[in-house]
Amino acid sequence: MFLLLAVSSCAAPRSDDEPDGRGCTSTADCLGRMTLREKAGQMNQVSTATIKDKPQDLATYGVGSVLSAVGGSPTGTGGTAAQWADMVDGYQRQALKNRLGIPLLHGVDAVHGHNMVQGTTLFPQHIGMGATRDPDLVRRAEDITRQEVLGTGIRWAFAPCVCVPRDDRWGRTYEGYGEDPSIVSPLGAAAVRGLQGPRPGKDEVMATAKHFVGDGGTTFGTGDNGYLIDRGDSRMSEADLRKVHLPAFRAAVDAGVGSVMVTYSSWNGKKVHGDRYLITDVLKKELGFHGIVISDFAGVREIKGSGYADQVVRAVDAGIDMIMDPSRYKATIDAIVQGVRDGRIPSSRVDDAVRRILDAKFSLDLFKHPYADRGYAKNIGSPAHRAVAREAVRRSQVLLKNEGGALPLPRTGTYKIAVGGDADDLGLQLGGWSVSWQGHKGRTTTGTTLWQALRKTTAGTGISVRNVGAATSGDYSADVGIWVGGERPYAEGHGDSADLALGGDNARQLSALCARVKVCVAVLYSGRPLIITDQLPEVDAFVASWLPGTEAEGITDALFGKGFSGRLPVSWPKAVADEPINAGDGKKALFPQGYGISPY
Ligand code: BGC
């Protein structure tokens, strides 16, 4: 990611009101001309949901970065690519009025495609990409995400999550590629390469390896912020932390990742946001990470300390370079300036942080190209992009059961298919982090549902399809039944689950459908394994579809003969009592990690 730029390490602070009509031209030049207060300003990332009411503060305070997360989109939720580009350029225009003309870096959670924007191409969530085990496919998918993000003027993506989810009850399990570093590391590195593109400069989107480190290893019952396991405590030895959770960060750093986000979780009782050993000694010194370490959203507020100013000082001293906080930029600036004056933060630490931030901005060529490159906008959600997502969907499907050759379904001949459950619900197939933070059911963006895909596949054939929806206990019969359903969308700790239950409605629908058809197929949308031990005997075929994204024709491709090649990226438990369950721990899974039938 980084061009090595000559920098001066001990720049003398200037007075705040020094007039300077000329923009700065290199990291060294900027650092040499910035006041301490301006430097502290660059160390902030503020939410657009807050700054929209006072955009002039971007220049007044020299804010380094903004993020568009919850409520920060041009329309509150969603919005088209053109609306996003206008919004992003608008903030940039405001920000560039700062004394030295330092451009703003705009960040977004583009975690399975440019998912907060409507009309974009949404890929399977990471767990599905993990089932493909294919770094090149991940790189191609992220390369498309890079282009779609660029089309909206955004230059920083908070992805990939290189977490290693060890307990499927964690609501963020689907954000990880799998339960083992050998799965996560190559795919995470490939995602970094795809997002950042072939070379530094104006066509690059800075990637973020998150969340450093141990977020997927927290102990159930230790969750913070009211959650069961999310933001919890990783109770493990340093050897285990290094063996399971660190390798993917090493791989991401080696792939040139531009930023690393710190985890909300704790390691043996201490919040990682304040852990100088992990952030400075391990990440920066040992792994040789030269990019930006960013805190998680308001994560600094969770460090043990005597008030916000103290928390900021501890975070910066631990090695955090940029503080992501929705609204407290003024307090953050004051705390950093005061911390330096009091001798609690060495000024070299501030210079190091700002150097990393400015290096990123020069490396992205933001100074010369601060505005959206609308040339990329025309391909957002294009058929060519969606074709790659469709391929990824097909290759992420894991076939868990296929009794009596139930699959593939014949493409010709005359027969009847009854479809039950939620086959026509796009939001369900997207999961969380889709248009909104938590995601929601319904037609939230442009895409093809499984029901639409089934209609397309069977159009003009002798195969008739009928969608009974939730009314699976009605009066009908068919040769083949396809039940589609699973988890309602969720994100982060809101998805923590104590039971991993399929849910009564799902179970009833599935049984009723299977009782009325000759061959019964289940397609499960879920961010993780659910307990399906009782349902398996009722079906002839069972497909773990994960959260496939906008292109469900990838599912019909697999069902109708193009083959299943997905392999479980996690161990699938028989009962929730078996959690946490991971390969090599001696527990017997219902289906082991790596499992997946390929009958054709
Ligand atoms: C999440 C991060 C995300 C950030 C910004 C936090 O709640 O933990 O993964 O990047 O919000 O939206």
Side-chain angles (χ1 to χ4, degrees), residues 68-69 72-88 106-123 145 147-154 377 380-381 386 426 430 433-437 444-447 550:
S68 295
S73 85
T75 52
T77 300
T80 64
Q83 288 171 318
W84 275 77
D86 291 345
M87 173 187 79
V88 171
H106 202 127
V108 77
D109 289 291
V111 301
H112 66 126
H114 196 4
N115 42 255
M116 298 316 237
V117 180
Q118 284 168 315
T120 57
T121 309
L122 300 193
F123 294 88
T145 302
Q147 297 173 46
E148 299 204 356
V149 170
L150 284 172
T152 58
I154 295 181
I380 290 178
R386 292 182 188 276
L426 188 62
L430 305 177
W433 299 108
S434 302
V435 184
S436 60
W437 176 41
T444 52
T445 185
T446 310
T550 48

Side-chain angles (χ1 to χ4, degrees), residues 400-401 483 499-503 506-507 510-511 522 524 528-540 542 571-579 581 588-592:
L400 297 175
K401 175 176 180 178
W483 173 80
D499 53 20
L500 295 178
L502 177 64
N506 284 332
L510 175 61
S511 302
L524 179 68
R528 53 191 161 191
L530 298 181
I531 305 306
I532 53 166
T533 314
D534 291 345
Q535 281 69 42
L536 273 177
E538 299 180 336
V539 299
D540 301 283
F542 201 106
S571 307
W572 197 294
K574 273 197 297 296
V576 74
D578 294 334
E579 288 289 347
I581 180 167
K588 184 140 175 43
L590 182 61
F591 299 108

